[in-house]
């Protein structure tokens, strides 16, 4: 019987050269103390994009519009296997302040933070986008 794959939906929320980033608790079971974009597991009956928007609102208090851009990373060496889908997004109301530990971080400062390895390609895309703007 094939092993189930857990799908994780992540919102990469970008606004005016900043991206929404939080730091996981040092007591978290996974990725303790690492920086992260808002996201979590998809629930039954929702698309990955809907899950990314829901998780962002739950974790940060910021409602987002999901853009037509996504990027997937499969983590096959861990058990259970995971598929992380990163969806680019924009805030519906940019004046809304994020709920801590989330904050708007300048894209140019992302290299100074400590993200899980699965975020590497997304971080590179953000830097590339910033360089081209």
């Amino acid at each position: 019987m094939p092993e189930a794959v857990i799908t994780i939906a992540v919102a990469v929320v970008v606004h005016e050269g900043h991206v929404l980033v939080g730091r996981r608790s040092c007591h978290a079971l996974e990725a303790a103390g690492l920086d992260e974009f808002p996201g979590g597991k998809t629930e039954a009956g929702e698309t990955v994009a809907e899950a990314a928007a829901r998780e962002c609102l739950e974790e940060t208090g910021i409602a987002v519009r999901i853009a037509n851009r996504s990027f997937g990373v499969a983590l096959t060496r861990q058990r259970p296997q995971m598929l992380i889908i990163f969806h680019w997004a924009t805030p519906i109301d940019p004046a809304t302040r994020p709920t801590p530990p989330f904050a708007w971080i300048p894209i140019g400062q992302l290299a100074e933070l400590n993200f899980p390895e699965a975020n590497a390609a997304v971080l590179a895309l953000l830097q590339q986008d910033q360089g081209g703007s």
Side-chain angles (χ1 to χ4, degrees):
M1 175 182 241
E3 181 180 351
V5 175
I6 296 173
T7 301
I8 305 295
V10 176
V12 181
V13 187
V14 179
H15 180 68
E16 296 183 346
H18 291 71
V19 65
L20 198 56
V21 176
R23 179 160 292 157
R24 293 185 64 88
S25 165
C26 62
H27 303 295
L29 295 176
E30 295 179 26
L34 296 183
D35 297 295
E36 66 177 351
F37 303 110
K41 296 176 187 173
T42 56
E43 294 182 355
E46 71 182 347
T47 67
V48 180
E50 290 167 342
R54 174 187 52 78
E55 287 284 349
C56 186
L57 182 59
E58 288 175 3
E59 293 181 0
T60 72
I62 298 195
V64 296
R65 282 186 193 86
I66 299 295
N68 194 19
R69 182 181 188 190
S70 62
F71 183 86
V73 175
L75 303 179
T76 58
R77 287 181 278 199
Q78 67 181 53
R79 297 291 180 251
Q81 293 183 1
M82 299 176 110
L83 174 62
I84 304 172
I85 307 291
F86 297 88
H87 280 281
W88 267 247
T90 56
I92 291 173
D93 179 3
T96 303
R97 292 179 184 246
T99 303
F102 286 89
W104 291 107
I105 304 297
I107 290 173
Q109 292 180 7
L110 292 177
E112 300 168 20
L113 302 179
N114 190 17
F115 284 87
E117 186 177 325
N119 291 250
V122 171
L123 293 166
L125 287 171
L126 285 165
Q127 294 289 345
Q128 179 182 358
D129 289 351
Q130 185 71 8
S133 54

